[in-house]
Amino acid sequence: IISENPETAGEDIKIPEEITDMPQTPGARWYVVHTYSGHENKVSAALKQRIESEHLENKILEILVPTQEKIEIRSGKKETVKEKIFPGYILVKMVLDDISWLAVRTTQGVTSFIGMSNKPTPISEAEVASIVKFMTQGAQPTFKTTFGENDTVKIVDGPFKDLEGKISEIDEERGKVKVLVSMFGRETPVELDFLQVKRI
């Protein structure tokens, strides 16, 4: 029994003819599934639970929420966070038939499959491999900050401690900012680590 999706309660989800007409191929392919933004992990967890309860392990094989690690500066501390590469999308490796399609499509938080003419279009293994490589590449995560150019900040560490200035440049790759501070009667650019400044 397919449980009703509260998101689509009252909406009669019909299996497209394109799905029922598809040959029952034994091979699984990767498909892109659109979800409500911010619900990617919830959808993944709900779908995994559904696969287990409905014994669909041989039809829905893998679920991937593409993320990449970034170092984010929050309240003067470095925190490693997982940032979604494609917000609002997950990848599902599955043998597409009416049962697997309906199981995914009626999972809470799922809005649609991505494809042409209402027919889910698979993506290649090479594309998935590229995404996985991007997820894991580089030992040093990219820095992410909440600072913006022209923000007024106070320097909290180093030889320029307690001076105030405006951010003129942000280098997220290196985790650095250039701050214009008033020295010797003129503005001088000083390069600092994200952790050395605090927004006022």
Side-chain angles (χ1 to χ4, degrees):
I1 298 171
I2 301 294
S3 59
E4 188 177 52
N5 177 3
E7 300 287 352
T8 53
E11 174 190 330
D12 186 18
I13 293 185
K14 294 178 181 177
I15 300 167
E17 288 179 14
E18 290 89 344
I19 305 297
T20 54
D21 290 345
M22 288 185 79
Q24 303 301 306
T25 54
R29 304 286 299 274
W30 283 98
Y31 295 90
V32 182
V33 176
H34 187 258
T35 72
Y36 290 105
S37 189
H39 288 228
E40 302 88 355
N41 291 332
K42 287 180 184 176
V43 169
S44 176
L47 190 50
K48 284 175 184 174
Q49 194 173 10
R50 192 163 191 175
I51 291 165
E52 192 176 328
S53 65
E54 297 180 21
H55 307 294
L56 299 171
E57 294 88 348
N58 62 336
K59 291 183 180 291
I60 304 171
L61 311 180
E62 287 182 65
I63 303 163
L64 182 64
V65 181
T67 57
Q68 189 179 46
E69 282 195 345
K70 292 201 171 187
I71 293 176
E72 193 167 296
I73 308 300
R74 288 181 180 172
S75 305
K77 293 180 181 177
K78 289 183 182 179
E79 290 183 20
T80 302
V81 295
K82 285 186 179 290
E83 188 173 82
K84 293 176 182 68
I85 300 170
F86 308 114
Y89 296 94
I90 64 171
L91 305 180
V92 181
K93 188 172 188 177
M94 59 191 283
V95 178
L96 189 68
D97 60 17
D98 55 351
I99 295 171
S100 61
W101 180 89
L102 203 59
V104 174
R105 180 62 186 87
T106 57
T107 294
Q108 185 172 354
V110 170
T111 59
S112 64
F113 276 89
I114 303 303
M116 301 289 288
S117 306
N118 209 26
K119 177 181 176 182
T121 304
I123 61 174
S124 70
E125 288 284 348
E127 284 177 284
V128 177
S130 294
I131 292 168
V132 172
K133 185 178 178 183
F134 184 70
M135 287 171 66
T136 56
Q137 72 179 176
Q140 291 298 318
T142 304
F143 286 89
K144 185 186 176 186
T145 181
T146 52
F147 296 128
E149 284 190 19
N150 295 319
D151 278 357
T152 301
V153 293
K154 183 177 183 178
I155 301 169
V156 294
D157 184 44
F160 303 103
K161 186 177 178 180
D162 294 331
L163 288 178
E164 294 179 5
K166 278 194 175 180
I167 293 176
S168 62
E169 284 180 43
I170 300 171
D171 186 342
E172 291 199 350
E173 292 293 326
R174 294 168 57 232
K176 302 281 186 182
V177 287
K178 274 190 181 172
V179 179
L180 295 174
V181 295
S182 184
M183 292 169 60
F184 314 119
R186 63 189 183 90
E187 285 192 326
T188 304
V190 177
E191 188 176 77
L192 300 158
D193 186 274
F194 283 170
L195 288 178
Q196 290 181 284
V197 295
K198 184 173 71 174
R199 186 191 277 117
I200 297 174

